[in-house]
């Protein structure tokens, strides 16, 4: 995730880090060259038919609404993903507190918290499709090779609760409290999994990219008359707005990717580690800081 | 559900799988031929009245907003359905863990989990209106012939909890925990049923298809003057955007259908089986993979 | 509720059942006759001032947005009402299961479920303002004459729980579980009551109908010049879109009415009866089927 | 709250009660006179510059979107406030039932319910900023003089639960159940307080009124040419739509006010009294009826 | 937060406090001077190309929709933050009540409430990034120096519950109730942290400021012809609407800042103190009042 203050004047012109421009620049250039060719063709020959504004107004508004919808949906996915991770962070902290209250066996309690920490890292590695994530493996050990690692970590925690119940160090109230906490973590984990495995319907992407291209390629027909040599500029700007939004949307709709707009899962895991440290009797690590405005 | 990466340049032109184009192509062709006839008529005779742009701008914007609303509503249904299945997946996993903690009779525990797995398949078959689903029947046995099979499966689970309570292998805390879990599953099951049995109001579909046809059929009157022989092209594009969106919407609003944009219920059921396998002492099956980009 | 598949070509032209057209036809006809008069007047005299397009574009967009907002709000009410009834259905089923687990007195259990069934019918009759609903009375007996019948039914259920507690057939855990279930039913019941007693603010209806009429009556001034004798057609279409949407909205915002778009409360009550039948040792009735596409 | 059926033809023209027109009439009149002056000036002199339509189209659309946003936000506040009160009503009823089940001391139970009723009235008086509300004082006695009366009422209820626990007439399960019910009431009470004390950001109001005035005052510049003496009419209509919406929004965003669109808190309190009456052994009062279409 | 009534006529012209105008005035002035230069250039030379309206209409609508989206997202953040603080306030009050019911050791109960109060202040100081907040330090003592102060306060509360459990003054039901309350507070605290640490995606800000500048700088090309010397005025107004909205959005999206539209955290903390005072046996402080319309 890019962490920067609101852009100042100078950033508006030069900011590259966090901008979508580099990614769409080739497309915009192609569009502008094409538009320039159209103007040249129009000036030299009489081939080009002229299209009235009506079609483009309606088309443009429909396209804007459609892009707006997809942008909303993508942002909602991104923000819901962030909420789920915020919820997991709260769950980790509450688990640590409930373990203090309800578990009367310190070794068991520490095992429980360590497994919880492993769960969080396995979950992160799973969402980012990194089965060999070194950090996760260092925390998780054998759990990392289960068919579904984060699920296996939660299973291991349930087994610890069972052991505590059998050994009399967790009473019935504690079992209920910890089982509910595990249920909450499982729900949020499944929520993240849902977002990761269910992309926005592909048909939307196809529809949107196809119509955006059609719009930008046909636009010169309507502009060449009234706007003349300004046509490439306008086509470039319209392309910037529409393709820019489409690309941002694409990126935000995959909130767990390691892209400039992906969520800072590493930083959230670190925040959980800091909170757990005291309960584990360990030294709290430093919070992660953004590097070159980027927080991983 | 179609599982593909963001479309590349080549897909934009040729992608058929996951595209809505094949379904609406006949309509678009008819519209374009009609529009061409209108242009020809306009060139040959003087019959055709000309309509100003104003009516179409307002009409077009109203139609866009209306399509946008219906699209939102359909997508919300689709995404809510996905959330409910994600919740069921989490419930299955949490049930397995809570059974470990609270059920002190292994045979009973295994029965409970197997019935839960049967419930999920019966629920899937019920939503897809397949009373004779072989897979569901293989898991569910006689339950599949109940008046409401998934409901009967949950009843069977409650009966198991009752047996455990009577036999002393599930204490009061466990009864509460498992009854709450069953309540959560029933709620999500009823949510899916609600989506499956309550389509978007029919009056919307009628209103939208009627106005879209009217718009596309009248559009040549406004375009024939300024756009000439480009009219069929423009009518085709406008028809593509509007009918394309209407069809996508129709499909997404039935999220349990086995259409290209239907939810991958088979894959979710498989994910639940994988998670349950360990608790049942069985070998975990492989996750389902998409075939020809399609995940069933 | 109208239950039909997506409209086919033939339905688009002839479908009456479920269409809003019959209700607004007189208005549209009046508008079109008025518009034709305006064209005739314009052709014969010079009285008519001409209005530019600008005012109508802005007016039309503002009106579209406003109608769109009201439509959203009405659909949300309709869908929330459906969710609440879906939740009640799940509650009825969960109540039956929890009664199996927690009530150790079969006569009491059966009383509880029968009162729950009576509650659902009383709630339905209450929402539809039918104090003399025969079906509800057949299930509810004296409860139907209480000041607030569904509320009285819930009170009667609480009294049964109290009796079970006093008699030792419902333990403390069961009291908690059943009290929570009653709380959940009361919450959903109050939610339905809220929707039924709090319509959309009247000021919106007034504002929207007034502006829609103004728009449609003034529109000929702008169209008469560019569109000539097509004016009545365009006015009719614009009226169809705007008044059609306004009427649909009006109907959806009263989800408990027995209108074509009202919710199928009878069918949902029947679904609950089917689920309860097994627990009551009765034969399950058949599900309700739509008659002439209408599910009551 | 105004309670009327959907407006009939005659209401559209004459309805005053519930209409926003009286409040904005002076403004509209001023605008129309100003517009007429501009037309007169344009006809007599050549001073007036003419402005093209472009600026107004974009300005008008931006303004519509902005008004639409504010309207959404205000309606959401209003509807959330109604939900919270619906939730409180359900809480009152559930509290009465839970008291039946869990409190084994009738005098204590009656005290609890009476304090709950006092809480509701104190909460109503607090939201409406009426510290000397006679009805609330008659129910609440000394509690009405606490620094935060509704909060004090909840404190008093907690004290009663504590007394019952100490006296052995409320067991641990009952303490939990009643404490959770109090927690739910406190949450809904705080939600109402949040809405009452946190208006929509003032900067929005300023921005919206300023731009609406600017738009309406400049509009004649664009209309005077094409629309001539129709200009005042159009300006009046545009003003009606924009100012009307702005005023409705203003009113809805304060849902606890005693305005025509304020929530009927008196009627909801009465509904709670009716439900509590039976549990208190009192006669149920009549429901409140609207007077001159207004339900207080 | 600015606390003012709906703006009166006089405020519309002169209100500065709470207005966004001062912040964007330099930009607007620059834009207007630039526009005037363009008009002057157009009158004197023939250099300036003229651009048709089409491009600007589509661009303007796309920009409006985009600004509208960002505004929605920012307002949702602001309102969610307010909800979370409202929830914390309710939690504080419920905690105080539950402590009365469940804690049978007055010294412990007072410690618990004092730590809760410290938590709230530490949380406030943490969100506002004021590690040396004097008020928070006066309440929190050593806790203020922990790696994560509000988290440490919650840990301290859990330790108190543990002590009460060990000492027999909090029974199992009380442990569960208080642990759940702590879990709720942790969840809301993490929600606030999420909003504070996860700004709106930077790419949106960049995209929006860049396109707004482009739009305003190019607009004179389209207006200079039809609007002449009114061009600077129109450009100024369009700039006012677009930049004004962008700035408001920027501010609302940081709801914990001490800006005119930031949330009144001091006042909410004070409200919690008032509610806790009675439970602590202290005198309730006065509520905070706005100073010069500003509530901190």
């Amino acid at each position: 995730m890019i962490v920067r203050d609101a852009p100042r004047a100078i950033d508006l012109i030069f900011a590259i880090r966090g901008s979508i421009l580099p990614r769409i620049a080739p497309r915009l250039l192609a569009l502008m060259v094409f538009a320039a060719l159209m103007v040249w063709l129009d000036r030299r020959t009489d081939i080009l038919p002229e299209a009235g504004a009506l079609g483009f107004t309606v088309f443009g508004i429909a396209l804007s609404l459609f892009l707006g919808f997809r942008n909303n949906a993508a942002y909602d996915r991104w923000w819901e993903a962030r909420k789920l991770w915020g919820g997991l962070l709260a769950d980790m902290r509450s688990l640590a507190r409930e373990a203090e209250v309800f578990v009367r066996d310190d070794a068991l309690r520490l095992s429980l918290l360590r497994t919880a920490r492993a769960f969080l890292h396995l979950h992160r590695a799973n969402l980012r499709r990194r089965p060999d994530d070194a950090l996760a493996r260092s925390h998780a050990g054998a759990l990392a090779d289960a068919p579904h690692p984060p699920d296996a970590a939660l299973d291991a925690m349930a087994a610890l609760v069972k052991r505590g119940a059998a050994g009399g160090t967790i009473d019935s109230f504690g079992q209920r409290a910890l089982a509910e906490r595990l249920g909450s973590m499982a729900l949020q984990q499944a929520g993240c999994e849902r977002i990761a495995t269910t992309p926005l319907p592909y048909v939307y992407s196809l529809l949107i990219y196809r119509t955006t291209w059609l719009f930008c390629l046909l636009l010169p027909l309507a502009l060449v008359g009234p706007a003349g040599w300004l046509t490439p500029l306008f086509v470039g700007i319209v392309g910037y707005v529409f393709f820019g939004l489409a690309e941002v949307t694409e990126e935000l709709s995959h909130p767990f990717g390691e892209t400039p707009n992906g969520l800072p899962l590493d930083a959230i895991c670190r925040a959980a580690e800091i909170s757990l440290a005291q309960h584990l009797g360990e030294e709290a690590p430093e919070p992660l800081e953004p590097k070159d405005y980027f927080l991983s």
Side-chain angles (χ1 to χ4, degrees), chain A:
Chain A
M1 194 179 65
I2 297 294
V3 179
R4 291 180 84 159
D5 291 332
R8 289 152 308 149
I10 194 76
D11 297 334
L12 291 176
I13 305 175
F14 295 112
I16 298 291
R17 196 78 180 112
S19 166
I20 207 71
L21 203 51
R23 182 130 32 114
I24 59 173
R27 251 173 287 174
L28 296 189
L29 212 71
L31 273 178
M32 289 171 79
V33 168
F34 175 78
L37 273 175
M38 299 292 270
V39 181
W40 179 83
L41 211 70
D42 182 62
R43 294 283 145 109
R44 298 282 294 235
T45 73
D46 212 39
I47 296 178
L48 241 59
E50 272 196 34
L54 171 64
F56 286 96
T57 311
V58 171
F59 191 178
I61 291 171
L63 190 52
S64 298
L65 281 167
F66 195 15
L67 271 164
F69 155 73
R70 191 161 166 266
N71 182 47
N72 264 334
Y75 175 74
D76 281 353
R77 288 167 61 90
W78 183 81
W79 193 229
E80 193 198 350
R82 184 62 187 82
K83 278 187 182 165
L84 290 167
W85 271 85
L88 279 175
L89 180 55
D91 272 337
M92 299 296 281
R93 291 170 176 166
S94 290
L95 177 77
R97 282 179 207 118
E98 286 162 359
E100 296 270 6
V101 174
F102 291 114
V103 183
R104 280 180 303 273
D105 169 351
D106 243 35
L108 186 67
R109 189 175 64 77
L110 294 182
S111 286
L112 195 67
L113 296 193
R114 282 200 203 99
T115 317
R117 189 170 57 185
F119 157 76
L120 204 66
H121 281 292
L122 289 171
H123 178 42
R124 175 183 55 70
N126 194 45
L127 289 175
R128 292 198 159 158
R129 289 153 209 237
R130 291 201 293 197
D132 293 313
D133 187 271
L135 186 59
R137 284 193 169 269
S138 77
H139 283 295
L143 290 171
D145 292 314
H148 190 299
D151 199 30
L154 289 173
D155 283 347
M157 291 170 74
L160 286 169
V161 173
K162 190 184 184 180
R163 209 168 75 199
T169 54
I170 303 178
D171 69 3
S172 294
F173 286 90
Q175 290 167 41
R176 272 285 269 159
L178 294 171
E180 279 183 13
R181 188 59 59 197
L182 289 186
S184 165
M185 288 162 73
L187 191 60
Q188 319 227 39
Q189 186 271 329
C192 291
E193 218 175 291
R194 159 171 54 85
I195 291 175
T197 61
T198 312
L200 283 177
Y202 179 71
V203 68
Y204 280 136
S205 301
L206 213 53
L207 200 55
I208 238 167
Y209 278 105
R210 277 180 176 163
T211 46
T212 307
W213 273 108
L214 273 176
F215 187 80
C216 292
L217 288 175
L218 290 174
L219 194 55
L221 292 185
L223 288 179
V224 97
W229 282 106
L230 280 178
T231 301
L233 180 67
F234 276 104
V235 169
I237 290 174
V238 167
Y240 173 58
V241 175
F242 284 174
F243 279 113
L245 198 48
E247 283 301 318
V248 172
T249 295
E250 191 65 38
E251 210 173 293
L252 283 181
S253 76
H254 297 288
F256 304 120
E258 287 165 282
T259 57
N261 290 301
L263 291 174
L265 303 191
D266 290 341
I268 302 175
C269 284
R270 179 64 61 87
E273 286 177 359
I274 294 172
S275 292
L276 288 181
Q278 170 157 15
H279 296 273
L280 288 165
E282 298 173 359
E283 180 123 353
E286 286 299 302
L288 270 194
E289 292 297 335
K291 284 183 192 150
D292 189 18
Y293 303 119
F294 181 73
L295 192 62
S296 69

